[in-house]
């Protein structure tokens, strides 16, 4: 029996191809006190206050410049925060995946010859094989314990594709020993299933199968797996990075 998903929805069946900074307001108050002089004391003649000299034109211009720069910095910070929020809300398919992705120096962007660009972990080894109707690209970790797999699917929707991959009587991965669903989730353009099973060579395995509509309207599957004993975030991370960065050739993914 092949490890991970070999033969279950990834090679022998149709699922593979269809497969602000806060603002503070400061105010000041002035208090004044006075004493009433006795009647025999004449109040001193008022001394006219000196007329303040007008501020040099260059000084006024300098203050205006300082205030303008400060305002620009504050407004820029607020706008930047809004862009970050909108962008991360859009690319996560309505789910909070970014925290687990760990993207950055641990990942590299690759332009895969099968026709898309995505981020994959540095140091992972790529292999490719031809499935029944579509290429299957696999990235394996150096120690061989984790795997990332990408392939195109051709069902009518991500949910239909995932259901078929799981439940087909001939090759559905629900038939694997020790199969147990951990989590299910769906959105307008994606479907995801997390499960575990017993591999005869590697023991308990955790798998996340995410199927989604790419920017050009085509459907893809990204699957990530690792030891059941591993921190789930380390299984989630490569999948999140791949899905959030995935862009078919010629598509506008901004």
């Amino acid at each position: 029996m092949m490890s991970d998903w070999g033969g279950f929805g990834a090679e022998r069946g149709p699922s593979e191809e269809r497969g602000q900074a806060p603002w503070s307001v400061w105010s000041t108050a002035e208090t004044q006190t006075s004493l009433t002089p006795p009647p025999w004391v004449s109040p001193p003649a008022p001394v006219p206050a000196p007329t303040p000299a007008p501020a040099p034109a260059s000084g006024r211009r300098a203050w205006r410049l300082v205030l303008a720069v400060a305002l620009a910095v504050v407004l820029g910070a607020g706008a930047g925060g809004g862009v970050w929020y909108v962008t991360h809300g859009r690319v996560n398919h309505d789910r909070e995946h970014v925290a687990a992705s760990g993207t950055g120096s641990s990942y590299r962007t690759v332009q895969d010859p099968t026709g898309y660009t995505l981020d994959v972990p540095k140091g992972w080894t790529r292999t490719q094989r031809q499935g029944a109707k579509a290429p299957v690209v696999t990235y394996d970790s150096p120690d061989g314990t984790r795997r990332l797999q990408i392939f195109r699917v051709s069902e009518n929707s991500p949910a239909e594709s995932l259901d078929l991959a799981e439940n087909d009587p001939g090759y559905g991965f629900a038939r694997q020993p020790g199969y147990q669903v951990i989590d299910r989730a769906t959105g307008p353009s994606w479907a995801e299933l997390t499960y575990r099973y017993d591999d005869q060579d590697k023991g308990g395995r955790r798998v996340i199968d995410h199927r989604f509509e790419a920017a050009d309207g085509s459907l893809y599957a990204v699957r990530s797996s690792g030891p059941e004993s591993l921190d789930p975030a380390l299984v989630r991370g490569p999948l999140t990075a791949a899905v959030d960065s995935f862009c078919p050739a010629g598509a506008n993914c901004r």
Side-chain angles (χ1 to χ4, degrees), residues 98 101-109 119-122 237 241:
V98 168
S101 69
T103 55
S105 61
S106 298
Y107 289 79
R108 61 189 176 95
T109 300
D119 291 347
V120 299
K122 289 182 177 179

Side-chain angles (χ1 to χ4, degrees), residues 146 181 214 240:
R146 291 188 290 164
V181 174
T240 299

